[in-house]
């Protein structure tokens, strides 16, 4: 069997947006029957929440949408840029952080997830961490569903 493709979802803390994106991606590849063709993980730019479960609002959003999740936060490391094929950031700050951290000539394509949005391509997935409630988490989920469908559609049609 061909080598697995590898996707890594990044955000600032790895407790809000990237776990939701990871869970949505895992469900999408399972539903499409291609989960054995992928290796998937998520990680943080910063190290503040290493080892923690996602924020309770992210977990509630995942539960609400029947997305199982059992991963813990970790920080991105240099080897990720060589190991993964695709590293997805959530906003412009994530993308400039990734560019700064990537060793020269490393393999991973650095992509902003919002660029694959089928409705609003180029829209960032904003950080809901400092919001009062869970609306921003639901918005993140909705965007992730569209973006991941868009990305997998492009993979399937050979555009990527
Ligand atoms: P995330 O949200 O990047 O979507 O996981 C954040 C979580 C924590 C912090 C910032 C953003 N923080 O500064 O602790």
């Amino acid at each position: 069997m061909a080598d697995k493709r590898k996707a890594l979802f990044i955000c600032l803390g790895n407790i809000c947006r990237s776990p939701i994106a990871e869970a949505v991606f895992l469900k999408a590849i399972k539903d499409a029957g291609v989960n054995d063709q992928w290796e998937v993980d998520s990680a943080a730019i910063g190290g503040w929440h290493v080892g923690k479960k996602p924020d309770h609002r992210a977990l509630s959003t995942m539960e609400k949408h029947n997305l199982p999740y059992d991963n813990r936060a970790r920080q991105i490391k240099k080897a990720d840029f060589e190991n993964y094929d695709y590293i997805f950031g959530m906003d412009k700050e994530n993308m400039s952080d990734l560019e700064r951290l990537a060793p020269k000539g490393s393999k991973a394509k650095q992509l902003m997830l919002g660029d694959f949005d089928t409705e609003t391509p180029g829209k960032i997935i904003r950080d809901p961490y400092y919001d009062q409630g869970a609306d921003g988490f639901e918005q993140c989920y909705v965007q992730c569903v569209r973006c991941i469908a868009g990305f997998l559609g492009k993979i399937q049609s050979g555009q990527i």
Side-chain angles (χ1 to χ4, degrees):
M1 190 184 143
D3 281 350
K4 288 189 181 197
R5 297 191 203 227
K6 298 180 186 177
L8 181 67
F9 294 91
I10 291 293
C11 61
L12 192 55
N14 194 204
I15 55 168
C16 299
R17 294 165 292 175
S18 57
I20 292 175
E22 180 187 5
V24 168
F25 194 88
L26 286 170
K27 169 101 178 0
I29 56 176
K30 193 169 175 206
D31 288 352
V34 295
N35 48 319
D36 60 341
Q37 296 171 24
W38 287 90
E39 188 177 309
V40 185
D41 198 4
S42 65
I45 297 291
W48 313 286
H49 300 286
V50 169
K52 287 195 201 158
K53 289 182 181 178
D55 183 282
H56 67 94
R57 295 163 295 176
L59 284 173
S60 305
T61 304
M62 290 189 260
E63 254 169 52
K64 178 179 163 193
H65 295 287
N66 294 313
L67 300 175
Y69 194 80
D70 195 25
N71 206 355
R72 301 278 179 142
R74 73 167 177 90
Q75 193 169 19
I76 193 167
K77 53 184 190 277
K78 295 258 183 251
D80 290 326
F81 291 93
E82 205 43 60
N83 186 29
Y84 285 88
D85 299 296
Y86 309 103
I87 299 183
F88 293 97
M90 301 294 146
D91 57 29
K92 302 268 162 66
E93 288 73 27
N94 291 169
M95 298 317 295
S96 54
D97 285 337
L98 288 173
E99 202 173 311
R100 176 175 54 80
L101 294 167
K104 249 196 164 64
S106 45
K107 174 178 93 174
K109 283 196 174 84
Q110 295 161 42
L111 303 169
M112 194 173 86
L113 188 55
D115 285 340
F116 296 93
D117 197 318
T118 48
E119 272 181 29
T120 55
K123 186 172 174 181
I124 65 153
I125 300 178
R126 63 169 281 280
D127 185 356
Y129 181 62
Y130 295 103
D131 292 2
Q132 292 299 325
D135 287 1
F137 289 79
E138 181 66 18
Q139 182 60 37
C140 170
Y141 164 78
V142 167
Q143 284 180 270
C144 284
V145 169
R146 291 199 306 253
C147 294
I148 284 163
F151 172 74
L152 289 173
K154 285 197 168 172
I155 288 273
Q156 205 176 11
S157 63
Q159 289 177 66
I160 295 177

